[in-house]
Amino acid sequence: MNQARQETIPPNPAVLADRFNTLRYDPEADAVVLLNRAKYPHEREYVFCRSVEEVARAIETMIVQGGPPLAYAAGLGLALSDVNESAYRAAAARLLATRPTADDLHHIIPAALQRALQALAAGEDAKAAILHFVNGEIERGNRVSRQCGAHAAELLDDGDQVLTHCIAGAALCWMLWIAKHQGKTIHLIATETRPYLQGARLTAQCAVELGVECTLITDGMPAHLMSQGMVDKFICAADRITLDGHITNKVGTFQMAIAAHYHGVPFYVLGYDGPDPDTESAEGIEIEWRDGREVLYCAGRRSAVEGVKALYPAFDITPPHLISAIVTDRGVFPPHLIRMYATASE
Amino acid sequence: MNQARQETIPPNPAVLADRFNTLRYDPEADAVVLLNRAKYPHEREYVFCRSVEEVARAIETMIVQGGPPLAYAAGLGLALSDVNESAYRAAAARLLATRPTADDLHHIIPAALQRALQALAAGEDAKAAILHFVNGEIERGNRVSRQCGAHAAELLDDGDQVLTHCIAGAALCWMLWIAKHQGKTIHLIATETRPYLQGARLTAQCAVELGVECTLITDGMPAHLMSQGMVDKFICAADRITLDGHITNKVGTFQMAIAAHYHGVPFYVLGYDGPDPDTESAEGIEIEWRDGREVLYCAGRRSAVEGVKALYPAFDITPPHLISAIVTDRGVFPPHLIRMYATASE
């Protein structure tokens, strides 16, 4: 859709559509304030992190999750460091060590560190330099989300039943909101996404806020619904996109992509600001193994018997031949050509 | 394995390996006594059903589940009917209406009804005739399970990592137990199987009782583990097998079968006593839609936000080209040739 049409879209009512709703630096408290995504929306708790370590632990325990949001939180967290070079370097290393898979963190922290060290060297306010940079990145991320969502909305048809997995974030909110204001009725089918239930909590809540009908299913049901002709499109996000068109996303995405390909259901990836320029192919992605015990519990209660172990690979990798297109703020790319993002115009 | 070798296998310690451990008619209480599978093994509660209606509701609420066990419970339940023809016919109709997908119920109830009516006509004890028939079927089912498990054990190699879904029942217990006594170390990988968590509860408990190492994963993880070379075989049961080689089983099986086929992982079905002679192909299977609200809760707690709906197709159908073999008490069949079961010897 062109810019003129987009300007007629009312403000997006979904909390997750604007990253400043869920994470910000509070100058009075000198704290990074995070909406606790491990509890939201069952509880609306804001967590005040007053040190680099507290921000790092908030990322590790998924109080903030999602590639860009956790990167923004880490960036703001760097501003809580002591103001000297060695402290900044140690803080950056701590924040980078929180989670390995999504690429945003690994771009924002080195860039924010560079701003801090440049400011220090110039005798300027390093903390202000970090906050200026990271807040600018959050603003840019909000614009990217809206543009990506607008391009994705163009791929939807009135009456579509759209399957999604985990929480595809601000771009999903914008896709649904813009499609709605284009007069398209979209029915969202969301996997609950065990073990953290991002689908049953975050995605479902976005749909409720946007006035989009949403049906939840368990993570084992997508292929059956496809076989019954109940899924028109499968759309999710990506924590990292490689230059050769692989995507990594919440574990389960790969299985659903195989099922979509088997059934001829298009699979579109909300690719935000495109591939990671530093990751050529899948070998360059480190899949995070989280604590397997998280699988033994559901909503805080033990769901499994005693005496068994569990595994929790947090992400999986989907190869380009299973992907129909990657949708970015700069338009829609076939996965094998996502490298062209770098030279595309906005 | 031959009969001589099987006789050296010690008694199977898994509770679910012998159906009489979990369901029986108690003459003193004049009740059908059921191990409550909705709570087991977190709680070991035995439910006393004192009427046909109580047995029917126990089946509908999954106090007893699994194709053969729920059929046996229904058969024993028929013995709780008033002793006259119209009462028996009404009781049979009520019990048949509980669940549509698995075929065992639809064989045992008409056959038990026939025994009852024949006894009535001959002036004999109709209740005793029902119990004699159904207890004989349970004994036969136990033998079938052991034979099926013995044939399946032959397909396993020492060191295999075997993926399973839901609870594959007594044959799974026998497969694991016999393989263990053949000196094979098997590692079971069980999906938790939302929403009822049969994997996290029942399958995991069987593994613990059998001394087989078991790792739990969520229902979204199988394809990723396959891609990492962590799955040697995928083995599950079937609630109904068609004469042309389709199987229906707990929803999620189809998605895992597609992923197994994609990765070249063999998929073996524990087919117990073979195909349903009354079901030619997939069109003849009614997939049960259970109450979608069951998906909105996990282990008794609301897991989803308010304002959304949910769907719960309880089963899905896997076509024969995704199945490597169907293992029965009469041996191992390619799915397209499962019709030959009828003329095979035990």
Side-chain angles (χ1 to χ4, degrees):
Chain A
M1 79 188 313
N2 61 40
Q3 200 62 30
R5 279 178 64 199
Q6 266 203 63
E7 279 161 9
T8 67
I9 305 290
N12 194 308
V15 168
L16 299 191
D18 180 346
R19 271 75 177 259
F20 286 116
N21 291 336
T22 67
L23 53 93
R24 66 190 168 82
Y25 172 75
D26 179 333
E28 278 182 40
D30 191 26
V32 176
V33 185
L34 302 172
L35 176 66
N36 187 342
R37 290 191 185 215
K39 297 181 176 177
Y40 180 81
H42 295 304
E43 296 174 39
R44 296 202 182 208
E45 172 187 280
Y46 286 88
V47 176
F48 283 67
C49 302
R50 291 187 168 82
S51 67
V52 172
E53 184 58 26
E54 284 179 15
V55 172
R57 290 195 187 156
I59 294 169
E60 287 169 346
T61 57
M62 293 180 72
I63 286 172
V64 57
Q65 54 80 243
L70 75 86
Y72 302 141
L76 297 175
L78 192 67
L80 301 179
S81 164
D82 286 349
V83 183
N84 66 70
E85 180 172 340
S86 66
Y88 277 130
R89 289 192 186 278
R94 174 70 186 95
L95 292 163
L96 277 172
T98 51
R99 300 195 68 191
T101 304
D103 56 328
D104 311 271
L105 177 69
H106 299 269
H107 292 294
I108 284 187
I109 290 297
L113 176 63
Q114 189 188 25
R115 264 57 168 197
L117 299 183
Q118 283 170 346
L120 276 183
E124 293 167 5
D125 185 339
K127 181 169 188 162
I130 294 170
L131 291 172
H132 177 75
F133 168 71
V134 177
N135 282 323
E137 282 296 292
I138 300 175
E139 279 170 25
R140 186 180 73 80
N142 277 342
R143 289 195 304 274
V144 163
S145 301
R146 181 174 172 145
Q147 279 301 119
C148 175
H151 287 299
E154 294 298 316
L155 304 180
L156 300 183
D157 297 304
D158 185 32
D160 269 354
Q161 304 220 93
V162 174
L163 173 69
T164 190
H165 184 54
C166 197
I167 169 69
L172 181 83
C173 295
W174 279 109
M175 177 190 83
L176 294 171
W177 189 241
I178 292 168
K180 182 173 180 163
H181 286 276
Q182 290 170 339
K184 299 171 186 168
T185 299
I186 304 299
H187 188 117
L188 199 64
I189 300 173
T191 55
E192 61 174 352
T193 317
R194 281 276 293 144
Y196 269 97
L197 300 168
Q198 289 98 332
R201 297 186 292 110
L202 307 180
T203 300
Q205 178 67 16
C206 290
V208 169
E209 290 167 353
L210 294 166
V212 170
E213 209 181 358
C214 178
T215 298
L216 279 178
I217 58 173
T218 70
D219 304 335
M221 296 178 188
H224 177 64
L225 265 58
M226 291 175 194
S227 77
Q228 302 301 299
M230 295 170 70
V231 177
D232 298 298
K233 277 131 198 171
F234 169 38
I235 300 180
C236 72
D239 289 83
R240 191 185 299 207
I241 299 168
T242 67
L243 289 169
D244 71 353
H246 289 73
I247 67 127
T248 186
N249 193 46
K250 173 59 54 190
V251 67
T253 305
F254 175 42
Q255 188 162 281
M256 293 165 71
I258 297 170
H261 192 255
Y262 178 91
H263 288 99
V265 170
F267 173 29
Y268 300 129
V269 175
L270 299 178
Y272 289 81
D273 57 355
D276 177 12
D278 297 336
T279 307
E280 180 58 35
S281 189
E283 304 80 61
I285 304 174
E286 180 186 343
I287 298 294
E288 177 183 6
W289 289 86
R290 292 183 63 84
D291 188 338
R293 283 175 296 183
E294 294 176 3
V295 171
L296 303 175
Y297 290 79
C298 186
R301 263 194 204 172
R302 179 91 185 187
S303 47
V305 300
E306 300 295 333
V308 294
K309 298 184 303 182
L311 287 174
Y312 182 8
F315 303 94
D316 57 28
I317 296 173
T318 301
H321 76 271
L322 299 178
I323 301 167
S324 306
I326 300 174
V327 186
T328 73
D329 61 326
R330 299 182 188 172
V332 179
F333 296 83
H336 291 99
L337 302 180
I338 190 63
R339 197 186 297 270
M340 294 170 67
Y341 175 88
T343 52
S345 57
E346 282 186 38
Chain B
M1 81 189 314
N2 61 39
Q3 200 62 30
R5 278 178 64 201
Q6 266 202 65
E7 279 161 8
T8 67
I9 305 290
N12 194 308
V15 169
L16 299 191
D18 180 346
R19 273 72 178 260
F20 285 116
N21 290 336
T22 67
L23 51 92
R24 65 190 168 83
Y25 172 74
D26 179 333
E28 278 184 39
D30 190 26
V32 176
V33 185
L34 302 172
L35 176 66
N36 188 342
R37 290 191 184 215
K39 297 181 176 177
Y40 180 80
H42 295 303
E43 295 174 40
R44 296 203 182 207
E45 173 187 280
Y46 286 88
V47 176
F48 282 67
C49 301
R50 291 186 168 81
S51 68
V52 172
E53 184 59 27
E54 284 179 16
V55 172
R57 289 194 188 156
I59 294 168
E60 287 169 346
T61 57
M62 293 180 73
I63 285 172
V64 58
Q65 54 81 242
L70 75 87
Y72 302 140
L76 297 175
L78 192 67
L80 301 178
S81 164
D82 285 348
V83 184
N84 66 71
E85 179 173 343
S86 67
Y88 277 130
R89 289 193 185 278
R94 174 70 185 94
L95 292 163
L96 278 172
T98 51
R99 300 196 67 191
T101 304
D103 56 329
D104 312 271
L105 178 69
H106 300 268
H107 293 294
I108 283 187
I109 290 296
L113 176 63
Q114 188 188 25
R115 264 58 167 195
L117 299 183
Q118 283 171 344
L120 276 183
E124 293 167 5
D125 185 339
K127 182 168 186 161
I130 294 170
L131 292 172
H132 177 75
F133 168 71
V134 177
N135 282 322
E137 282 296 292
I138 300 174
E139 279 170 25
R140 186 180 73 81
N142 277 342
R143 289 195 304 275
V144 163
S145 301
R146 182 176 170 144
Q147 279 302 118
C148 176
H151 288 298
E154 294 297 316
L155 304 179
L156 300 183
D157 297 304
D158 185 32
D160 268 354
Q161 304 220 91
V162 174
L163 174 69
T164 190
H165 183 55
C166 197
I167 169 70
L172 182 83
C173 295
W174 279 109
M175 177 189 84
L176 293 170
W177 188 241
I178 292 169
K180 182 172 180 163
H181 286 275
Q182 290 171 338
K184 299 172 185 169
T185 298
I186 304 298
H187 188 116
L188 199 65
I189 300 173
T191 55
E192 60 174 353
T193 318
R194 281 275 294 143
Y196 270 96
L197 301 168
Q198 288 98 332
R201 297 186 293 109
L202 307 180
T203 300
Q205 178 67 16
C206 290
V208 168
E209 290 167 353
L210 293 165
V212 170
E213 208 181 359
C214 179
T215 297
L216 280 178
I217 59 173
T218 71
D219 304 334
M221 295 177 188
H224 178 64
L225 265 58
M226 290 175 194
S227 76
Q228 302 302 299
M230 295 170 70
V231 177
D232 297 299
K233 276 130 198 172
F234 169 39
I235 299 180
C236 72
D239 288 84
R240 191 184 298 207
I241 299 168
T242 68
L243 290 168
D244 70 353
H246 289 74
I247 67 126
T248 185
N249 193 47
K250 173 60 52 189
V251 67
T253 305
F254 175 42
Q255 188 163 279
M256 292 164 72
I258 297 170
H261 192 255
Y262 178 91
H263 288 98
V265 171
F267 173 29
Y268 300 129
V269 175
L270 299 178
Y272 288 81
D273 58 354
D276 177 12
D278 298 337
T279 308
E280 180 58 36
S281 189
E283 305 80 62
I285 304 174
E286 180 186 341
I287 297 294
E288 177 182 5
W289 289 86
R290 293 184 63 84
D291 187 338
R293 283 175 296 183
E294 294 176 2
V295 171
L296 303 174
Y297 290 80
C298 186
R301 263 194 202 171
R302 180 91 185 186
S303 47
V305 300
E306 300 294 333
V308 295
K309 298 184 304 183
L311 287 175
Y312 183 8
F315 303 94
D316 57 29
I317 296 172
T318 301
H321 76 272
L322 300 178
I323 300 167
S324 306
I326 300 174
V327 186
T328 73
D329 60 328
R330 299 183 188 172
V332 179
F333 296 82
H336 291 98
L337 302 181
I338 190 62
R339 196 186 298 269
M340 295 170 65
Y341 174 87
T343 52
S345 57
E346 281 184 38

